[in-house]
């Protein structure tokens, strides 16, 4: 499933934001137009894909957000909206007046939640108000960007607002050539140990976790993998391409790799062709370096595709200060960092 | 039961669901910018739309863009009337063409004349010429795709 960025404007400034390259480098006022939304919808439909994720910035800030969601629903799409929920209460009310909470409606929110102790009070109030209105349609999301994170607040929000019992966990990825707070390669293992320390809470709260891209198999012991088997959705230690489409119809593999061979959506005839392009570019990158550890090159799990060797942004970031010895497209990307 | 009239001055969320459920055809819309966008939304939702060239200031470039969608759009959508009539119009007879060739008026060098027939001579601009040239291209495309006299199957 690909993602469409409705707007680059955002209401938060998360320290780990791996979209900041895209959020800072372009015109913030740029928003997806109706003409482009219809083009993207036709592009997906003619490619046989009827699911679309809406992203930002904060997609709820797009002036036609509820209108565009209704349009996509009318076209028979399943829509997933990735939001912070930290929008003004009046805006939440307006959106709810057009998109009432109907469990049968093929519309879901993934609400990316930050630890309340690290966020301004007003932001926390806004998030709670949003969750109060849309709780049953919201699945929580959380980005791990330091090894000493806390998840207890999530269990509280899930129970208080009746959120879906499915937590999407992401690893904050580095932005090659820029600075953001992310989980370094050496701190992934301690972070995973921390994650498993919440296993009993997951089981007690009947909460399933879903590991997003970038996790590696070797970050867990066999015993921990057994525990994950019980509390996580089927495990897949993969890495992209996610495919993000910007408001200007530029396409890239994912936010942290937005400088690696970006193209215009208009250059592709189908979603399959587009995915092939980015799979090939990631393949090039992994041909240069198998994964985030030296051992990845000869890892049997990587050879059979059980693990892809972690986040490609870590690989690209590690190549940044090297001499230009890589494949031409990778060298071009590295020179632009 | 007759469909309720549609108020297009309100935000799209208020008419998208209702319109696409209750209406098969929307009466004439003017051709100013926002209505062209609305026409595209409705057409993509399967509602037949008619455009009225006689009202409002015509944005020829936006109209050409909509024409491209109507003719070459990759997914099934409802026809946008005005374009359909223009495309279906038979090209001028050879005699008329010869006559036009020797006439010394402003249309003599206009490529779009074979679709406009001088009707828009008073406000002719390069963008207007481009639009009518695209109508001719669309006519040829339809002819190639579906054969003479057959409407677009969408």
């Amino acid at each position: 499933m690909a993602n469409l960025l409705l707007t680059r404007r955002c209401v938060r400034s998360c320290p780990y934001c791996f979209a900041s390259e895209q959020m800072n480098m372009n015109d913030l006022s740029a928003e997806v137009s109706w003409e482009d939304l219809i083009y993207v919808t036709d592009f997906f439909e003619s490619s046989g894909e009827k699911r679309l994720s809406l992203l930002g910035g904060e997609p709820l800030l797009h002036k036609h957000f509820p209108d565009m969601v209704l349009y996509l629903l009318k076209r028979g799409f399943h829509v997933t909206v990735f939001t912070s929920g930290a929008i003004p209460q009046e805006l939440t009310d307006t959106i709810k007046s057009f998109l009432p909470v109907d469990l049968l409606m093929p519309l879901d929110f993934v609400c990316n939640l930050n630890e309340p102790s690290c966020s301004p009070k007003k932001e926390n109030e806004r998030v709670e108000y949003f969750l109060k209105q849309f709780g049953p349609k919201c699945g929580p999301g959380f980005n791990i960007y330091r090894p000493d994170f806390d998840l207890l607040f999530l269990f509280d929000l899930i129970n208080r607002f009746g959120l879906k019992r499915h937590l999407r966990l992401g690893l904050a990825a580095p932005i090659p050539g820029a600075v953001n707070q992310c989980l370094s390669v050496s701190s992934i293992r301690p972070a995973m140990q921390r994650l498993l320390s919440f296993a009993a809470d997951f089981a007690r709260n009947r909460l399933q976790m879903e590991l997003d891209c970038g996790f590696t198999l070797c970050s867990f012991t066999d015993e921990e993998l057994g525990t994950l088997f019980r509390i996580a959705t089927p495990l897949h230690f993969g890495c992209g391409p996610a495919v993000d489409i910007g408001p200007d119809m530029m396409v890239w593999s994912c936010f942290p790799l937005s400088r690696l061979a970006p193209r215009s959506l208009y250059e592709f005839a189908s979603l399959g062709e587009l995915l092939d392009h980015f799979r090939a570019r990631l393949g090039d990158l992994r041909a240069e370096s198998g994964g985030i550890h030296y051992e990845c090159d000869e890892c049997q799990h990587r050879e059979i595709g059980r693990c892809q060797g972690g986040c490609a942004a870590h690989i690209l970031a590690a190549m940044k200060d090297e001499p230009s010895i890589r494949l031409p497209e990778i060298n071009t990307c590295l020179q632009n960092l | 039961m007759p469909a309720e009239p549609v108020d297009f001055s309100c935000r799209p969320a208020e008419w998208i669901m209702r319109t696409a459920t209750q209406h098969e055809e929307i009466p004439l819309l003017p051709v100013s910018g926002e209505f062209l966008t609305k026409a595209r939304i409705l057409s993509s939702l399967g509602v037949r739309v008619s455009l009225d060239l006689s009202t409002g200031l015509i944005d020829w470039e936006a109209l050409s863009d909509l024409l491209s969608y109507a003719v070459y759009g990759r997914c099934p959508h409802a026809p946008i009337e005005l374009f359909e009539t223009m495309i279906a119009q038979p090209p001028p007879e050879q005699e008329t063409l010869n006559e036009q060739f020797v006439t010394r008026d402003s249309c003599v060098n206009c490529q779009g004349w074979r679709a406009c027939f001088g009707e828009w001579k008073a406000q002719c601009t390069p963008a207007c010429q481009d639009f009518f040239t695209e109508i001719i291209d669309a006519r040829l495309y339809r002819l190639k795709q579906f054969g003479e006299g057959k409407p677009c199957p969408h």
Side-chain angles (χ1 to χ4, degrees), chain A residues 68-134:
Chain A
M68 288 182 162
V69 170
L70 281 172
Y71 172 80
L72 288 166
L73 294 175
K74 190 69 197 167
R75 289 283 302 264
F77 272 69
H78 187 126
V79 183
T80 304
V81 182
F82 286 80
T83 176
S84 65
I87 54 169
Q89 295 185 0
E90 311 81 67
L91 186 54
T92 300
D93 290 338
T94 306
I95 292 170
K96 197 180 178 191
S97 68
F98 291 111
L99 300 171
V101 176
D102 174 358
L103 294 178
L104 295 176
M105 190 187 274
L107 165 68
D108 298 300
F109 293 94
V110 174
C111 195
N112 192 32
L113 300 161
N114 286 342
E115 290 175 53
S117 58
C118 303
S119 309
K121 188 175 168 228
K122 188 163 188 179
E123 187 179 303
N124 293 333
E125 285 171 2
R126 286 177 169 187
V127 172
E128 291 203 6
Y129 187 77
F130 181 81
L131 294 179
K132 195 174 169 188
Q133 305 305 317
F134 287 101

Side-chain angles (χ1 to χ4, degrees), chain A residues 35 42 46 63 66-67 71 269, chain B residues 11-13 20 37 44 69 74-75:
Chain A
E35 284 74 10
D42 286 356
S46 63
K63 62 176 183 272
D67 317 77
Y71 172 80
Chain B
R11 63 184 298 166
T37 303
S44 71
Y69 171 75
R74 58 167 82 210
C75 277

Side-chain angles (χ1 to χ4, degrees), chain A residues 34-35 38-39 41-43 45-46 63-67 70-71 74-75 94 98 268-270, chain B residues 11-14 16-17 20-21 33 36-37 40-42 44-45 65 69 73-77:
Chain A
W34 275 105
E35 284 74 10
I38 294 170
Y39 183 85
T41 312
D42 286 356
F43 183 86
E45 189 173 324
S46 63
K63 62 176 183 272
H64 287 142
F65 171 76
D67 317 77
L70 281 172
Y71 172 80
K74 190 69 197 167
R75 289 283 302 264
T94 306
F98 291 111
F268 299 96
S270 70
Chain B
R11 63 184 298 166
E14 292 182 25
I16 280 179
M17 298 302 262
T21 311
L36 293 182
T37 303
R40 188 183 307 227
I41 296 171
L42 288 164
S44 71
L45 290 172
D65 196 37
Y69 171 75
R74 58 167 82 210
C75 277
H77 52 271

Side-chain angles (χ1 to χ4, degrees), chain A residues 155-168:
Chain A
F155 302 117
D156 170 53
L157 290 177
I158 289 164
N159 289 325
R160 259 201 298 150
F161 297 110
L163 311 189
K164 291 183 187 175
R165 292 183 181 267
H166 182 111
L167 173 65
R168 188 184 165 103

Side-chain angles (χ1 to χ4, degrees), chain A residues 255-323:
Chain A
F255 277 126
L257 297 178
S258 59
R259 291 200 193 180
L260 182 66
R263 293 282 186 274
S264 166
L265 184 67
Y266 300 117
E267 293 176 43
F268 299 96
S270 70
L271 187 57
E273 200 179 277
L274 191 157
L275 284 168
D276 284 347
H277 165 76
F278 287 110
R279 280 192 193 117
R281 298 293 78 75
L282 286 180
D284 292 345
L285 193 61
R286 289 185 189 283
E288 296 281 314
S289 176
I292 60 173
H293 305 295
Y294 288 119
E295 295 81 4
C296 290
D297 278 332
E298 294 180 354
C299 173
Q300 56 167 320
H301 300 300
R302 196 178 76 84
E303 273 173 27
I304 61 171
R306 190 172 287 138
C307 174
Q308 283 184 300
C311 175
H314 275 294
I315 301 174
L316 195 63
M319 291 176 181
K320 184 181 161 283
D321 298 320
E322 286 181 342

Side-chain angles (χ1 to χ4, degrees), chain A residues 151-152 155 159 165 195-207 231:
Chain A
L151 290 183
L152 291 178
F155 302 117
N159 289 325
R165 292 183 181 267
L195 176 61
L196 267 297
S197 74
F198 294 101
D201 298 293
F202 275 89
R204 192 169 49 250
N205 286 283
R206 303 286 188 274
L207 180 63
I231 59 170

Side-chain angles (χ1 to χ4, degrees), chain A residues 203-217:
Chain A
R204 192 169 49 250
N205 286 283
R206 303 286 188 274
L207 180 63
Q208 286 273 300
M209 71 166 87
E210 177 193 343
L211 303 184
D212 203 354
C213 56
F215 288 82
T216 52
L217 182 67

Side-chain angles (χ1 to χ4, degrees), chain B residues 39-104:
Chain B
R40 188 183 307 227
I41 296 171
L42 288 164
S43 167
S44 71
L45 290 172
V47 179
R48 291 177 72 98
V49 188
S50 301
L51 295 175
D52 182 6
L53 270 183
S54 65
T55 55
L57 197 63
I58 301 169
D59 179 347
W60 291 106
E61 271 181 47
L63 201 61
S64 294
D65 196 37
L66 185 62
L67 168 68
S68 298
Y69 171 75
V71 178
Y72 310 109
R74 58 167 82 210
C75 277
H77 52 271
I80 298 176
E81 194 39 71
L82 172 69
F83 300 145
E84 294 303 316
T85 309
M86 285 178 166
I87 292 168
Q89 210 162 9
E93 303 281 335
Q94 189 58 46
E95 200 178 312
T96 320
L97 273 174
N98 293 346
E99 221 167 84
Q100 171 64 14
F101 185 71
V102 294
T103 310
R104 286 181 175 276

